């Protein structure tokens, strides 16, 4: 059961009874979520996100169209069996107040008839996974948890039977930004290990960009406004609605998607303490970038010497360098890199490897240059 | 005023009447409980039937008890049925109201979560809805028990085979003998209080989760003030 399964919507529409023609909750939705990837449904309140999720596990039946989980049409499946194979985190968490945290988490395994030893082991494993030490939390009732802890239990409950597909409806909606950030990161690292097919609902575009391999932007009436990778959506919004929805700062948001490792670092003039100053001066003067980077023998940066400050004779010394500009890791996002550069007096950040050794430099110009081509290809 | 020696002479009979009283009440409460539970769970999500059930049980509740006992005599004679039918009918309104309120008290997101986890409708009822309705279900049980213990005395109108402790009250009234009225009345009150206390403990035992809920809401209330 743990094998991931793709989820496919084919021309799916849902109109609630009693609503006017053309004002559906979901309108002719077609999209495919490949197995093992995360698709985020994002859009303003009331645009049909929750409805779309509930169509997958048949809490709601579509008016027309069909939905495949794996390769099977859900309409032909027993809803109760289907739901036990699909993890669901509901928008309002919905823990069972009369059951302990442990009993809540083991709900689906119990329905599937697992024996109590296996259930217990699984529950403890999951509570640890979502960052709640089992010994402390297993026997508490939901009323004795904070909002963030409840949402974690909700996630653990959805994962309990190791379902191939996970539906998450604003799973981190009710917590403060710091806790949300932590829960997001935890889910990302959990997902790295599990590779579930996840449909994740949010109305927060930043969360969508962060969590999604693909993002589906929905607009009022349940119409799909755009479906693509976060970078595609930020670089080329398909309509004014999408452009407005992703925000005027979409350029900066794209920066958050790319990392220093995606850039080809540039070379600068380097030297080591003890090297001939005259030689170094000759090299730096010849370079359009008028700074000399002084490195230790193992490659770790010491700092910069301005080209004109390099003495005409003698040896280079550690004391000549002014301390190094921001050190960038290949995992640093370009957004963070740019903001570090703006905050320091030098134009360049030094890219270092895991051991801290110099690899090259990245300048603010290189970062903005990198964002340009995709943006131009829009017109 | 009070004839203590008479009381001492009749302790045996008091014990017998007390047991009889208890069983007359317990049968009525038990039967009423089962009927109401079945009816309430059946109509809970059917709006039309639900109105009908609450309406019917309300009307039944308005019939004066004495009249109901008397009216049944020609039909069922001076039998246990004649004593129990009115008692059962009076429990229905209390139970039905409380059971429906209990089922209504389950939060919609909890029901939705239960469906989404793959509970069958029956499984959801047994494992989620009824347990969460327990505080109001047991609340109804307490109310119905106390009220039925009171009403059992009225069945003494059917003669000395019924009425439990009410027998002494009717006898005392007929003989204008105050001691005997107290002799029946006060134990009846004590029985009701005792049963209520026992059920209160049962309620706490059955719903351990309600305690941390009370703490949580108390905390919120304190924080809000
Ligand atoms: N049971 C229902 N009957 C009629 N209309 C409904 C029902 N449920 C939802 N709707 C309507 O369908 C539309 C989509 O609702 P849905 O709950 O899917 O929105 P959503 O995108 O999840 O919103 P939110 O971000 O506020 O959770 C809304 O206009 C809503 O009013
Ligand atoms: Mg919603």
């Amino acid at each position: 059961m743990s094998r991931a399964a793709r989820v496919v919507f084919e021309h799916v529409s849902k109109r609630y009874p009693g609503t006017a023609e053309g004002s559906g909750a979901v309108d002719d939705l077609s999209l495919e979520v490949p197995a093992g990837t995360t698709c985020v449904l994002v859009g303003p309140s009331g645009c049909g996100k929750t409805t779309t999720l509930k169509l997958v596990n048949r809490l709601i039946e579509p008016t027309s169209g069909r939905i495949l989980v794996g390769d099977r049409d859900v309409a032909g499946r027993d809803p109760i069996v289907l739901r036990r194979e699909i993890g669901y985190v509901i928008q309002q968490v919905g823990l069972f107040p009369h059951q302990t945290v442990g009993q809540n988490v083991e709900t689906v395994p119990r329905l599937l008839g697992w024996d109590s030893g296996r259930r217990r082991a699984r529950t403890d494993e999951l509570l640890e996974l979502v960052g709640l030490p089992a010994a402390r939390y297993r026997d508490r009732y939901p009323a004795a948890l904070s909002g963030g802890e409840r949402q974690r239990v909700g996630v653990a409950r959805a994962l309990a039977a190791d379902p191939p597909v996970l539906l998450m409806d604003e799973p981190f909606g009710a917590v403060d930004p710091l806790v949300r950030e932590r829960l997001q990161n935890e889910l990302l690292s959990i997902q790295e290990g599990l590779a579930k097919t996840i449909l994740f609902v949010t109305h927060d575009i930043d969360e969508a960009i962060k969590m999604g391999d693909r993002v589906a932007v929905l607009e009022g009436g349940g119409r799909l406004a755009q479906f693509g990778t976060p970078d595609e959506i930020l670089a080329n919004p398909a309509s004014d609605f999408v452009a407005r929805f992703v925000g005027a700062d979409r350029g900066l948001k794209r920066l958050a998607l790319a990392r220093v490792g995606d850039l080809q670092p540039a070379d600068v003039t380097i030297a080591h303490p003890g090297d001939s100053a005259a030689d170094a001066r000759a090299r730096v003067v010849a370079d359009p970038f008028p700074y000399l980077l002084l490195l230790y023998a193992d490659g770790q940066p010491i700092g910069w010497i301005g080209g004109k400050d390099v003495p005409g004779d003698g040896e280079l010394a550690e004391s000549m360098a002014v301390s190094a500009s921001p050190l960038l890791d290949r995992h640093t996002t370009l957004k963070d890199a740019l903001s570090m550069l703006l905050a320091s007096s030098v134009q360049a950040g030094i890219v270092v490897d895991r051991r801290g050794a110099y690899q090259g430099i990245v300048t603010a110009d290189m970062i903005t240059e990198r964002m340009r081509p995709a943006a131009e290809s829009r017109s | 005023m009070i004839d203590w020696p008479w009381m001492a002479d009749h302790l045996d009979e008091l014990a017998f009447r007390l047991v009889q009283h208890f069983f007359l009440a317990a049968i009525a409460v038990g039967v009423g409980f089962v009927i109401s539970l079945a009816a309430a769970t059946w109509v809970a999500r059917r709006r039309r039937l639900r109105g009908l059930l609450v309406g019917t049980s309300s009307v039944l509740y308005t019939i004066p008890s004495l009249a109901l006992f008397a009216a049944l005599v020609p039909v069922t004679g001076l039998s246990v049925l004649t004593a129990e039918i009115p008692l059962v009918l009076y429990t229905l309104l209390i139970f039905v109201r409380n059971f429906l309120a209990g089922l209504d008290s389950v939060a919609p997101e909890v029901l939705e979560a239960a469906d989404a986890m793959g509970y069958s409708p029956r499984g959801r009822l047994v494992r989620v809805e009824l347990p969460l309705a327990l505080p109001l279900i047991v609340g109804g049980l307490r109310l119905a028990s106390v009220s039925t213990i009171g009403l059992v005395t009225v069945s003494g109108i059917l003669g000395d085979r019924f009425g439990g402790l009410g027998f002494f009250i009717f006898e005392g009234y007929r003989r204008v003998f105050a001691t005997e009225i107290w002799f029946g009345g006060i134990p009846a009150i004590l029985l009701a209080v005792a049963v209520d206390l026992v059920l209160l403990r049962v309620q706490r035992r059955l719903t351990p989760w309600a305690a941390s809920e009370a703490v949580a809401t108390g905390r919120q209330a304190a924080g809000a003030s």
Side-chain angles (χ1 to χ4, degrees):
Chain A
M1 201 150 115
S2 63
R3 231 179 40 257
R6 66 186 183 133
V7 175
V8 183
F9 288 77
E10 288 177 356
H11 302 288
V12 175
S13 293
K14 171 66 189 179
R15 207 166 41 242
Y16 287 105
T19 54
E21 185 81 22
S23 69
V26 176
D27 184 24
D28 194 29
L29 178 69
S30 293
L31 58 82
E32 170 167 355
V33 187
T37 67
T38 302
C39 171
V40 178
L41 303 169
V42 65
S45 190
C47 69
K49 305 181 295 293
T50 298
T51 304
T52 305
L53 279 197
K54 289 182 180 171
L55 288 167
V56 177
N57 65 357
R58 295 189 64 188
L59 287 173
I60 294 176
E61 300 293 344
T63 311
S64 61
R66 58 177 206 152
I67 296 162
L68 310 180
V69 170
D71 289 317
R72 298 166 69 185
D73 187 346
V74 295
R77 305 207 49 201
D78 178 346
I80 289 171
V81 176
L82 178 73
R83 287 170 196 163
R84 292 175 186 179
E85 290 174 14
I86 296 178
Y88 190 37
V89 182
I90 84 163
Q91 192 165 2
Q92 306 86 346
V93 190
L95 296 182
F96 303 124
H98 62 302
Q99 296 183 350
T100 61
V101 165
Q103 290 168 328
N104 266 283
V105 172
E106 64 170 30
T107 301
V108 181
R110 200 173 49 232
L111 289 169
L112 291 172
W114 294 15
D115 65 60
S116 66
R118 186 170 168 217
R119 291 201 311 256
R120 168 73 173 242
R122 179 67 179 156
T123 301
D124 287 3
E125 178 192 357
L126 281 164
L127 286 176
E128 302 288 344
L129 186 70
V130 298
L132 301 174
R136 282 228 328 268
Y137 285 92
R138 193 197 305 112
D139 298 320
R140 289 210 206 162
Y141 286 102
L145 300 179
S146 74
E149 288 164 343
R150 270 178 229 171
Q151 296 202 308
R152 287 160 193 249
V153 176
V155 172
R157 181 173 67 174
L159 286 168
D162 201 12
V165 176
L166 211 52
L167 309 175
M168 309 182 88
D169 198 347
E170 304 205 18
F172 310 136
V175 294
D176 67 70
L178 280 178
V179 174
R180 177 178 318 163
E181 163 111 32
R182 217 171 60 221
L183 291 176
Q184 287 169 344
N185 292 341
E186 280 166 13
L187 182 64
L188 285 174
S189 63
I190 290 172
Q191 169 68 352
E192 242 168 58
L194 301 181
K196 304 282 182 199
T197 308
I198 301 180
L199 270 82
F200 186 108
V201 163
T202 178
H203 54 248
D204 175 357
I205 185 68
D206 292 311
E207 187 168 61
I209 290 164
K210 176 170 182 182
M211 303 305 290
D213 297 310
R214 281 179 190 71
V215 174
V217 184
L218 299 175
E219 60 186 308
R223 271 178 304 278
L224 182 61
Q226 189 168 4
F227 182 51
T229 65
D231 195 57
E232 281 163 16
I233 284 171
L234 291 173
N236 299 312
S239 65
D240 284 349
F241 169 79
V242 178
R244 268 202 319 278
F245 192 76
V246 298
D249 61 341
R250 62 192 168 86
L252 287 177
K253 283 174 177 148
R254 279 188 74 210
L255 285 178
L257 289 175
R259 292 173 192 280
V260 168
D262 301 336
L263 294 178
Q264 180 63 48
D267 292 322
V268 288
T269 314
I270 57 168
H272 301 277
D275 287 356
S276 149
D279 176 47
R281 188 180 169 99
R283 284 190 293 132
V284 76
V285 167
D287 197 298
F289 188 79
Y291 292 92
L292 176 72
L293 181 62
L294 204 59
L295 303 175
Y296 289 115
D298 64 1
Q300 290 196 26
I302 300 168
W304 298 99
I305 309 174
K308 291 191 289 285
D309 301 334
V310 179
D313 51 23
E315 290 185 353
L316 294 174
E318 215 173 293
S319 59
M320 295 171 183
V322 295
S323 68
S325 45
L327 296 183
L328 307 174
D329 186 74
R330 43 177 290 113
H331 296 293
T332 311
T333 66
L334 292 188
K335 184 177 176 189
D336 290 345
L338 188 61
S339 119
M340 283 159 141
L341 289 181
L342 293 175
S344 75
S345 54
V346 204
Q347 289 299 305
I350 302 168
V351 183
V352 294
D353 66 11
R354 266 221 311 274
R355 294 187 320 277
Y358 166 82
Q359 299 279 296
I361 62 151
V362 164
T363 63
D365 282 348
M366 290 165 66
I367 294 175
T368 47
E369 187 61 31
R370 146 96 193 179
M371 291 298 129
R372 202 153 294 142
E376 272 170 5
S377 72
R378 196 201 157 189
S379 54
Chain B
M1 272 290 281
I2 295 177
D3 187 345
W4 296 105
W6 183 89
M7 285 197 184
D9 280 349
H10 290 77
L11 283 180
D12 276 359
E13 201 174 347
L14 178 70
F16 167 74
R17 289 291 175 182
L18 190 65
V19 171
Q20 183 189 45
H21 198 115
F22 178 80
F23 278 106
L24 284 172
I27 290 169
V29 169
V31 172
F33 185 90
V34 171
I35 294 175
S36 308
L37 192 61
T41 53
W42 190 56
V43 305
R45 317 270 165 231
R46 298 174 174 82
R47 203 176 300 163
R48 189 107 34 90
L49 282 175
R50 181 187 165 124
L52 195 69
L53 181 68
V54 174
T56 313
S57 49
S58 305
V59 170
L60 288 173
Y61 201 69
T62 60
I63 305 173
S65 54
L66 222 50
L68 195 51
F69 283 115
L72 277 171
V73 174
V75 187
T76 46
L78 286 177
S79 66
V80 186
L81 269 186
T82 316
E84 290 292 345
I85 288 174
L87 295 177
V88 168
L89 290 181
Y90 287 123
T91 66
L92 292 184
L93 179 68
I94 297 173
F95 278 140
V96 164
R97 286 234 167 126
N98 273 269
F99 292 176
L100 288 175
L103 293 172
D104 289 348
S105 74
V106 183
E109 68 265 22
V110 169
L111 297 179
E112 188 167 278
D115 288 338
M117 297 297 124
Y119 271 108
S120 62
R122 225 187 96 91
R124 185 181 94 167
L125 180 70
V126 173
R127 298 296 308 247
V128 178
E129 294 180 77
L130 290 178
L132 284 172
L134 261 184
L136 281 161
I137 291 179
V138 183
L141 190 59
R142 287 171 59 194
L143 207 56
S145 300
V146 169
S147 121
T148 306
I149 288 170
L151 269 176
V152 164
T153 54
V154 182
S155 71
I157 191 83
L158 298 174
D160 56 12
R161 285 167 52 221
F162 304 102
L165 296 161
F167 167 80
F168 297 119
I169 298 173
F170 277 100
E171 274 280 304
Y173 178 75
R174 199 170 48 76
R175 293 164 49 195
V176 198
F177 180 36
T179 299
E180 194 169 4
I181 295 178
W182 293 121
F183 195 62
I186 288 177
I189 293 169
L190 292 178
L191 179 63
V193 172
V195 166
D196 194 46
L197 287 177
V198 168
L199 288 175
L200 178 63
R201 301 203 73 163
V202 170
Q203 184 172 13
R204 297 223 171 108
R205 181 67 62 85
L206 286 178
T207 58
W209 48 276
S212 54
E213 242 174 30
V215 172
T217 44
R219 212 193 294 139
Q220 275 163 12
S225 66

